[in-house]
Amino acid sequence: MESIKIERTRKTPNVVFNAETGKIQIEGKSIPENSIEFYKPLVDWLEEYGKTPQKQTEVNIKLEYFNTSSSKCILDVFKKLETIHKTGNSVVINWYYEEDDEDMLEAGEDYQSILKIPFKMIEMEE
Amino acid sequence: MSFDLQEWYKKNSKEKILYSYLGAISEQKISDILDNVEDILTENGENVKLLKRVYYTAVETLQNLFHHSEVPNSKIDENTAFEKVVAFILNEKLDEKYHIITGNFIKKTNLRILKERIDQLNFLSQEEIKVLYKLILNNEEFSEKGGGGLGMIDLVKRTGNNLNYNLYNFDNDYIFFSLRIAI
């Protein structure tokens, strides 16, 4: 299965989805006007990956900002990961937030409360 | 007397402003404004928490303008072409708060639902807003314009402040809608 690598732009994050290592990373800003267009290929990739996932999938989310339409799409990404987790595979979501960015921590906690999947909240020092 | 956009803009740009824009809105324009807003706040040495809140508010309000502004049937004024014209103003910090003011034209037929939504959000407590946010986040529907219906709720949730709006009659079919948010 091919990996996904997308370079960051002014409005979309850097994305690396690697099926061989089971490492998934989304990093940067996610504020596109049309979030569905950006996230649909990622959700589709996870659907495919979920058929033969690695025993351990590590997800690193390091977002500086995301808009509300991205927030729904990110939940869709997490729901695919939750399905993988439910089938007995290990999935951990590392949710990074900048020191003092309480809103980003709270956003991660909102996802954590909606999903049945392990989250680690990791504060990054400035 | 009919609504005069230039007068409204002048009046609302009177206070000390950090950034203001009146003109057509596009994806490119939104990126330019956001870069400017981020640079200005960073140069001002604003703390991470407030800088991000102001930036978020700018993102959501600008994207609301982009998705929901209309072009009136009648000409706005002699200098303005028939295009999706919007206003965005970021004021200097006053009493520890920044203020963002936006303005755009909307159809009168869409006014009732917008007013109801804002009035309802302003009525809810911060705890109720948080519950509503999670409910709508987890609801799988997207509106036809790509918004998830979360934008306004998120503005109130993040800023902890009410959304103040004013309405100005423009012509038989259109209203100029201005929104002011303290952050």
Side-chain angles (χ1 to χ4, degrees):
Chain A
M1 186 176 178
E2 286 209 12
S3 295
I4 296 184
K5 276 189 183 172
I6 305 170
E7 292 291 323
R8 73 163 71 197
T9 68
R10 284 162 100 185
K11 286 190 183 160
T12 55
N14 176 272
V15 175
V16 182
F17 281 21
N18 189 324
E20 285 182 13
T21 61
K23 282 203 172 181
I24 285 169
Q25 177 149 317
I26 301 177
E27 183 173 9
K29 288 182 186 177
S30 181
I31 53 169
E33 278 74 26
N34 188 344
S35 305
I36 300 174
E37 193 179 276
F38 183 79
Y39 281 94
K40 176 136 196 330
L42 307 184
V43 173
D44 292 346
W45 188 95
L46 284 170
E47 172 82 35
E48 197 55 36
Y49 172 75
K51 290 175 186 167
T52 51
Q54 297 295 332
K55 284 204 169 63
Q56 292 192 331
T57 301
E58 182 187 308
V59 185
N60 293 303
I61 308 288
K62 294 182 185 176
L63 288 165
E64 291 164 42
Y65 302 104
F66 60 95
N67 60 0
T68 47
S69 71
S70 295
S71 65
K72 285 214 159 206
C73 295
I74 293 166
L75 182 62
D76 288 341
V77 166
F78 288 161
K79 283 190 171 169
K80 289 286 170 212
L81 292 161
E82 187 181 42
T83 307
I84 296 169
H85 179 68
K86 273 184 190 160
T87 50
N89 302 286
S90 154
V91 181
V92 175
I93 297 177
N94 296 315
W95 181 272
Y96 290 85
Y97 63 98
E98 254 184 271
E99 190 181 359
D100 297 331
D101 189 359
E102 291 165 24
D103 292 346
M104 192 56 84
L105 171 62
E106 195 179 311
E109 289 171 346
D110 282 345
Y111 286 122
Q112 190 176 25
S113 71
I114 291 171
L115 298 151
K116 289 188 178 64
I117 186 167
F119 268 73
K120 271 189 202 161
M121 303 297 168
I122 302 170
E123 186 182 84
M124 294 182 290
E125 282 180 27
E126 275 176 82
Chain B
M1 209 181 88
S2 64
F3 173 71
D4 184 330
L5 177 61
Q6 303 294 339
E7 275 302 312
W8 176 89
Y9 186 65
K10 250 191 243 167
K11 197 177 143 203
N12 282 282
S13 316
K14 250 194 216 159
E15 296 168 53
K16 287 185 176 172
I17 53 164
L18 288 175
Y19 185 83
S20 69
Y21 174 74
L22 176 67
I25 189 88
S26 63
E27 293 186 13
Q28 177 63 41
K29 193 72 220 175
I30 292 176
S31 298
D32 295 343
I33 296 174
L34 290 174
D35 284 353
N36 277 310
V37 166
E38 194 174 28
D39 288 347
I40 291 166
L41 295 169
T42 306
E43 278 166 25
N44 277 3
E46 195 47 78
N47 72 61
V48 172
K49 189 168 135 186
L50 192 51
L51 186 154
K52 289 201 167 193
R53 279 188 182 164
V54 175
Y55 187 87
Y56 268 118
T57 308
V59 171
E60 293 300 332
T61 52
L62 286 165
Q63 291 185 341
N64 275 344
L65 293 176
F66 178 76
H67 288 298
H68 301 292
S69 295
E70 306 274 357
V71 184
N73 295 325
S74 4
K75 206 164 170 25
I76 296 169
D77 55 49
E78 284 312 305
N79 304 317
T80 311
F82 280 106
E83 54 192 0
K84 221 189 242 189
V85 171
V86 305
F88 174 89
I89 301 160
L90 169 64
N91 283 332
E92 264 185 29
K93 211 167 167 182
L94 186 73
D95 297 332
E96 296 305 306
K97 284 185 191 299
Y98 289 97
H99 289 257
I100 284 180
I101 303 164
T102 64
N104 62 300
F105 290 93
I106 55 168
K107 274 189 189 147
K108 284 185 180 171
T109 47
N110 294 332
L111 182 62
R112 193 175 59 91
I113 196 157
L114 177 65
K115 270 185 67 177
E116 277 177 6
R117 179 175 279 190
I118 296 177
D119 292 343
Q120 183 204 20
L121 293 178
N122 284 344
F123 182 75
L124 296 177
S125 69
Q126 200 59 15
E127 280 312 306
E128 288 167 326
I129 290 282
K130 284 183 181 180
V131 172
L132 184 64
Y133 175 85
K134 270 205 273 183
L135 254 170
I136 296 183
L137 174 63
N138 202 14
N139 155 349
E140 289 178 5
E141 280 176 32
F142 264 91
S143 77
E144 60 187 34
K145 289 187 176 171
L150 274 179
M152 291 278 192
I153 302 172
D154 196 46
L155 286 175
V156 179
K157 179 172 170 269
R158 279 182 198 284
T159 63
N161 292 313
N162 279 359
L163 304 171
N164 295 305
Y165 61 89
N166 280 306
L167 305 166
Y168 305 88
N169 192 42
F170 179 66
D171 64 15
N172 285 338
D173 302 315
Y174 289 86
I175 284 266
F176 186 77
F177 173 80
S178 83
L179 188 68
R180 187 186 182 104
I181 308 165
I183 310 137

